[in-house]
Amino acid sequence: MSIVKHAVIAAAGLGSRLGQGKPKCLVEIEGVKIIKHILKQLDQVEDVRVIVGFEEKAVIAELKQLGRDVIVVRNPSFRSTTTLHSYTMGCQHLTGDCLFMDGDLLLEPESFTAFLASLEAGVPKLALTKTKTKDAVFAIMEEERIVGFRRQEPTEFEWSNIAWLPVDTFSTIGNTAVYEHLMQFLPIAGHEIISYEIDTSEDMALALSNTDLFGLKKLAG
Amino acid sequence: MVRSSTLATAPQIERRTFGAAAPEKRTAFAFDLDGTITRSELLPMIASELGLEAEMRLLTELTMAGTIPFEDSFRLRFAILRTAGLDRIRSVVAEVEFDPHIEAFIRENRDRCFVVTGNLDAWVQPLQERLGCRFFTSTAMMDDAGNVTGLASVMRKNVAALELKEQFDRLVAIGDGFNDVPMFDVADVGVAFYGIHNAPDALLSVANYVALDGKSLCRLLSTL
């Protein structure tokens, strides 16, 4: 069991780099939409909030069909805002700690569950994953702690775009990249998980060559 | 005259204040009745008693889609349904099922929960008794014998919402229909309810949140 009560999933973006013309959370891998896969990993979290923007009706229809009692938060300004803005909208009015994550992730269930189980109240933690691509946010580590981020010169780990943080981390409106906003809060503890993001078609190909990791078969159909 | 259909294209106004919540602020909740608190639409239920389901369904669909303004539609529906007689209508209305989560939330927060419905005061009186909170409704003209003789006023939800805004610091509106657009326009936070059916696009476009069922709606409301 984990102590996670609130989770905010950012699923408002256009996903233009992947170029499938639909929200990335609706992209199917082995017949399973990514949002279904992510909600499965969060099935013990009471309060899940999904931020929608691009093609919001399609995302809402999918959420309704999945039958999970999530709360949908609208970000009508998704075209001109970053994920940071969605996170601020998603956790507005909440208190305490919240899990923040992107809606385009493929997670290896055991490692993600272990991450959730490791979380403690009031202790920020970011999930890291082995560096896979050149276009990532690389973590500069000192032992178990993240002390910096950079976009150049890959390190051993990249940030998975999953964070356990107090909601007041996102209490002010910002429109930078999330990692840039998080710099001011470093050092933050890191925890390794196995995850794949699908920002580009290269990412997608990489994820597709590792589909056995994500426990998708039992969700298909 | 304010017609809800003219408001549909109004741009969404961001009224949210980001930052730490201010707990000292008094928040009121304005709920639509039909298809939000009730799990069935009341007017079609009454129509079914009279064998006029098809006629009522057509009118309801045209109204939900925004083709007929709510006020005209309500006058038409009133004209059709009033023939049933007040006692018969009330006995049908009294039987309607509430969403249990929403009913519990209203009972626990009676002093700041309000029902804002286009439905008629005389018809929905049994539900006001069941919920025990204040209702804003369309109003009937009654004769001395207690019979409904006509319509005195048709609810415009922005009017009720403005009155609540005078009394409270903040208003959260919850609804599922086209006639909730003017209420969302006035409210600080709008929650489109998809529990029974999807809300029309016009309402979605002015909503801050979408709740997919009564349970998650109340979880959201308890944090607002």
Side-chain angles (χ1 to χ4, degrees):
Chain A
M1 270 307 281
S2 84
I3 61 158
V4 179
K5 292 229 163 23
H6 307 288
V8 166
I9 303 171
L14 285 156
S16 0
R17 281 183 295 161
L18 184 63
Q20 291 215 358
K22 56 176 154 184
K24 286 192 285 179
C25 70
L26 298 186
V27 168
E28 285 190 25
I29 312 268
E30 300 221 314
V32 179
K33 293 193 174 70
I34 291 179
I35 189 66
K36 183 177 186 181
H37 164 68
I38 290 178
L39 288 177
K40 170 69 183 157
Q41 314 312 315
L42 297 174
D43 59 2
Q44 299 300 311
V45 179
E46 184 193 358
D47 183 40
V48 177
R49 302 185 174 209
V50 180
I51 321 305
V52 300
F54 177 58
E55 293 286 319
E56 61 179 333
K57 281 167 66 183
V59 179
I60 293 168
E62 182 61 26
L63 291 169
K64 178 86 185 166
Q65 210 231 320
L66 289 173
R68 218 12 248 282
D69 59 340
V70 300
I71 292 166
V72 179
V73 185
R74 295 185 66 242
N75 177 4
S77 53
F78 65 93
R79 290 188 65 185
S80 56
T81 59
T82 64
T83 301
L84 184 58
H85 189 85
S86 283
Y87 282 166
T88 303
M89 296 180 92
C91 69
Q92 204 186 2
H93 309 300
L94 297 179
T95 53
D97 303 297
C98 180
L99 184 74
F100 296 88
M101 60 195 289
D102 274 359
D104 62 353
L105 297 168
L106 288 158
L107 306 162
E108 191 263 331
E110 285 79 43
S111 68
F112 183 69
T113 305
F115 170 71
L116 293 184
S118 77
L119 299 175
E120 299 166 67
V123 184
K125 191 180 266 190
L126 305 184
L128 301 170
T129 187
K130 278 263 165 30
T131 292
K132 300 174 186 70
T133 57
K134 285 178 185 158
D135 185 29
V137 173
F138 306 111
I140 303 161
M141 307 293 293
E142 274 178 13
E143 295 175 356
E144 303 288 293
R145 298 185 315 164
I146 302 156
V147 296
F149 290 120
R150 67 183 184 220
R151 295 299 306 267
Q152 307 296 325
E153 296 176 61
T155 61
E156 187 182 1
F157 293 104
E158 58 182 59
W159 181 38
S160 67
N161 291 313
I162 301 171
W164 168 249
L165 296 163
V167 296
D168 57 18
T169 308
F170 299 114
S171 63
T172 51
I173 298 183
N175 211 22
T176 60
V178 178
Y179 82 89
E180 289 173 27
H181 180 73
L182 291 182
M183 295 253 208
Q184 63 188 298
F185 301 98
L186 298 178
I188 299 177
H191 181 113
E192 186 184 353
I193 65 165
I194 299 169
S195 70
Y196 288 71
E197 209 178 359
I198 55 153
D199 280 336
T200 62
S201 49
E202 291 75 29
D203 292 346
M204 185 78 168
L206 192 60
L208 284 173
S209 63
N210 288 285
T211 48
D212 289 349
L213 289 172
F214 313 125
L216 297 168
K217 285 206 175 67
K218 40 190 176 189
L219 290 179
Chain B
M1 183 166 72
V2 178
R3 289 263 166 103
S4 55
S5 55
T6 62
L7 292 170
T9 52
Q12 189 180 22
I13 300 163
E14 285 271 348
R15 286 199 193 76
R16 5 166 125 238
T17 349
F18 285 88
E24 72 278 6
K25 277 201 164 187
R26 284 260 294 159
T27 299
F29 300 95
F31 292 85
D32 168 54
L33 181 63
D34 284 44
T36 300
I37 301 175
T38 71
R39 300 184 106 163
S40 342
E41 304 276 339
L42 292 168
L43 299 188
M45 280 173 72
I46 302 168
S48 157
E49 269 289 295
L50 297 170
L52 293 169
E53 294 129 297
E55 291 82 352
M56 196 57 51
R57 193 178 310 125
L58 176 63
L59 263 175
T60 303
E61 278 168 14
L62 292 171
T63 314
M64 295 299 285
T67 311
I68 304 178
F70 180 80
E71 197 160 326
D72 294 347
S73 163
F74 188 74
R75 287 183 188 282
L76 278 169
R77 290 186 285 178
F78 170 74
I80 295 170
L81 297 178
R82 61 180 292 203
T83 56
L86 189 53
D87 288 345
R88 197 163 160 209
I89 289 174
R90 279 188 183 162
S91 71
V92 173
V93 168
E95 295 298 308
V96 74
E97 197 185 336
F98 290 147
D99 179 287
H101 301 282
I102 300 174
E103 182 181 7
F105 183 88
I106 291 175
R107 283 176 189 283
E108 283 159 26
N109 298 279
R110 268 184 192 149
D111 56 332
R112 56 197 190 108
C113 284
F114 302 88
V115 173
V116 180
T117 173
N119 219 309
L120 200 63
D121 53 356
W123 292 355
V124 298
Q125 192 189 324
L127 304 185
Q128 183 155 17
E129 284 159 13
R130 272 170 68 188
L131 286 169
C133 69
R134 182 173 168 198
F135 274 45
F136 293 85
T137 65
S138 298
T139 56
M141 289 188 288
M142 312 279 282
D143 64 17
D144 292 342
N147 298 310
V148 174
T149 57
L151 276 176
S153 68
V154 176
M155 164 57 63
R156 291 184 206 149
K157 294 197 175 191
N158 52 323
V159 177
L162 282 168
E163 188 182 327
L164 288 171
K165 288 265 285 183
E166 298 263 307
Q167 298 167 31
F168 290 86
D169 299 312
R170 193 159 160 268
L171 181 66
V172 178
I174 306 100
D176 73 328
F178 206 87
N179 69 331
D180 296 311
V181 171
M183 178 162 76
F184 278 36
D185 195 37
V186 170
D188 300 280
V189 179
V191 186
F193 186 60
Y194 277 47
I196 306 300
H197 51 71
N198 292 355
D201 291 355
L203 189 67
L204 179 64
S205 73
V206 292
N208 303 103
Y209 295 95
V210 174
L212 301 176
D213 61 18
K215 188 178 165 198
S216 51
L217 171 67
C218 295
R219 202 171 68 228
L220 170 65
L221 297 183
S222 63
T223 63
L224 292 177

